[in-house]
Amino acid sequence: MLPTIIKPWWAIILMGVLFIICAILIFNNPVATLLALSVWLGWLVILAGIAGIVSYFSSEKEERQNTEILIGIATVILGVFMISKTFLTMYAIIVLFAILMEIIGIWIVSYAWSARREWSYWWIAGILGVIIILIGIKSFWDIRAGAESISNFIGMGILFSGIGLIILGFIKNKIVRAMKKKVNSFKENSLNK
């Protein structure tokens, strides 16, 4: 697959449009998004376990450690459990997300409070920190709200990526046109001499 910058400008814009469509789907289907994330993480855990097992058997006999294969097997079992019990996996993701939001929110509030003497807009950061804390609390107590919050974060990342790709495509088109114009001008000047 070609890196984005090498692709034609219209293909970059098309990718951006597809990213935006995907973001809209994510915003409108938070539970399905969290379900897909849970299954995807389960498969990643299974692959990590398989990699550990393969690593054990591909090592020299003297270098093999029994804990390596045990961890690999346990990781595969955990991944299978994550996929077979997706509701528990979804809930675990929501709880971890809520805890992360609490930590980030508390850190922002404490930083804003300590910077109040040097920074006149410290209160804006403080309000943002409180909002993040509230998102964490709501996500912890309401599974649907947690799924929506996680989907919104994922969707925003994909949406901004899509917008960035569209802008990149138009910039690339403009640069390519300008370069072609310069090359044609240079060729004409060379032929006239």
Side-chain angles (χ1 to χ4, degrees), residues 1 22 49 58 61 64-65 107 114 121 129 133 137 151 176 183:
M1 183 171 235
C22 184
S58 64
K61 282 191 176 186
R64 291 181 183 169
Q65 296 178 356
W107 180 79
S114 65
Y121 295 107
I133 290 170
I137 291 170
S151 294
V176 167
V183 167

Side-chain angles (χ1 to χ4, degrees), residues 38 81-82 84-95:
S38 299
F81 178 79
M82 289 172 69
S84 65
K85 304 293 184 187
T86 52
F87 180 77
L88 289 175
T89 305
M90 290 168 64
Y91 187 70
I93 290 170
I94 290 170
V95 168

Side-chain angles (χ1 to χ4, degrees), residues 71-193:
I71 291 171
I73 292 169
T75 305
V76 169
I77 292 169
L78 176 63
V80 170
F81 178 79
M82 289 172 69
I83 291 172
S84 65
K85 304 293 184 187
T86 52
F87 180 77
L88 289 175
T89 305
M90 290 168 64
Y91 187 70
I93 290 170
I94 290 170
V95 168
L96 290 174
F97 174 78
I99 292 170
L100 181 64
M101 291 293 99
E102 294 303 309
I103 292 169
I104 291 171
I106 291 168
W107 180 79
I108 291 173
V109 168
S110 65
Y111 178 77
W113 184 256
S114 65
R116 69 187 183 282
R117 289 188 179 93
E118 297 92 31
W119 186 34
S120 60
Y121 295 107
W122 66 272
W123 56 274
I124 296 173
I127 291 171
L128 177 64
V130 170
I131 291 170
I132 291 172
I133 290 170
L134 293 174
I135 289 171
I137 291 170
K138 184 168 175 140
S139 297
F140 187 77
W141 293 110
D142 182 3
I143 293 175
R144 176 94 178 151
E148 288 173 358
S149 296
I150 292 170
S151 294
N152 286 338
F153 277 102
I154 294 170
M156 291 301 282
I158 293 172
L159 176 68
F160 289 138
S161 297
I163 292 169
L165 284 170
I166 290 171
I167 292 169
L168 177 65
F170 282 117
I171 290 171
K172 182 176 182 184
N173 182 32
K174 188 173 182 178
I175 290 171
V176 167
R177 283 185 179 179
M179 288 176 65
K180 283 181 180 177
K181 198 174 190 180
K182 290 280 186 188
V183 167
N184 289 338
S185 172
F186 179 75
K187 284 180 182 178
E188 288 176 13
N189 289 338
S190 297
L191 291 174
N192 290 337
K193 289 183 178 180

